[in-house]
Amino acid sequence: MAQPKQQRSIVAIITMFFIFAMISFVTNMAAPFGNIWGFKYEWAGMAGNLMNFTAYLFMGIPAGNMLIKYGYKKTALIALAVGAIGLGIQLLSSVAGAGVEVIGGENPIYLNLFIYLLGALVCGFCVCMLNTVVNPMLKLLGGGGNKGNQLVQTGGTLNSLSGTLTPLLVGMLVGTLTKETTMAAVAPLVITGIVIFVLAFIIISFIKIEEPQANLKKVKYEHSPLAFRHCLLGIIAIFFYVGIEIGIPGELNAWISRESFEGAAAVAGSLAALYWLMMLIGRFVSSIISGKVSARAQMITVSAVAIILVLIAIFLPEDITFKSPEISALHIMSGEVPLKCLFLFLCGLCTSVMWGGIFNLATEGLGKYTAKASGLFMMMVVGGGIMPYIQDWIGRSFGYINSYWLVIAMLVYILYYSVIGSKNVNKDIPVDEEPFDLRDL
């Protein structure tokens, strides 16, 4: 017996929510794993993160084309298989190549670092494809507008829950970082990730997902999504946003991890986890109000508040400290840290709604161009590798807190986009919306 359309829609939505969680699980491994390598090679702290997001630059457009050629389900399955391979390569770096010098000298670089970076790149291909699938599909299943934004924000809540757990678990497994700490310390987490990917592949293989834009292969594209000004400016906004989302907790993690007190890595992981916990709370609230409050209104509010929070963190004296909260249920450790950290992880409340908000504003009214626009968006997620790497260089060269001026500059652009740049001024371009009602799927 065939499933009713409404039931198939619910199954598709739940599946996309699960994929949303997998994205942050893999992505958020990069920064804490990078701390292990950063202790051995100062420049390598954000190198894994850079490789992870560099993959988007090469995979973004092909991933969008895969949606058109293979559909959402097959693209998701390919991505899950690639993700398991990528994590496997990272796991391999803990046991292979540790004694093989690639670059000699006083501080030789061994093969296992390059194996890890290759694994990070492959994982980047995976999350790029998953992102390309999940965002437009949730928007389309919601019928666009506020409802589409609400589904994306709800999926983002699960994304943040997964993102909260990853740095926390790494911090618990590593404890105190030393030059002897290796990827073997986090092998249980990597193995868990591989198992989850394999199980997800099996489960999704047996789930029937109706394709919301199944006839895109037959559509003629007269223009590029870049012909829409609000889409072009939104793609730039995504580049900066991902840099902000990754840079704030990533640099905070690096800063506290490199402090010389017992359990610094665990405390740093806890602070990063608190940031992602704030994102979880923010996305949960947004998922409730997005049916009534527009994405534009939310974006204007959170970008302005984020600027204020980061400015407070920059100017607050570093010698003013507080004891970070301990949440036993989540195994979040307490530690005496600068009060600045409080305002930085509170930024998670603001960044929580930016991904879904920008995506929905930039793809609103694109119709048949939505899938291609999604591919372009994924390409520009490379900002999550480039901007945090630049921020980390600024932090090591001029002081960690000074690196957040880069975050301020990016937030100012997002505020501009929310107020002015997100308006669709190209309504004269025909988009040939699909003739069937996507909400009936």
Side-chain angles (χ1 to χ4, degrees), residues 354-373:
M354 289 183 180
W355 173 271
I358 294 171
F359 185 88
N360 278 278
L361 288 174
T363 58
E364 190 68 26
L366 293 190
K368 65 183 180 181
Y369 296 101
T370 301
K372 283 185 174 292

Side-chain angles (χ1 to χ4, degrees), residues 280-301:
L280 187 156
I281 294 170
R283 283 174 170 169
F284 177 73
V285 172
S286 179
S287 69
I288 295 173
I289 67 173
S290 288
K292 297 181 180 179
V293 182
S294 71
R296 183 170 178 267
Q298 291 184 55
M299 286 295 302
I300 292 172
T301 301

Side-chain angles (χ1 to χ4, degrees), residues 24-36:
S24 65
F25 181 82
V26 175
T27 302
N28 286 4
M29 286 181 177
F33 284 7
N35 289 332
I36 296 174

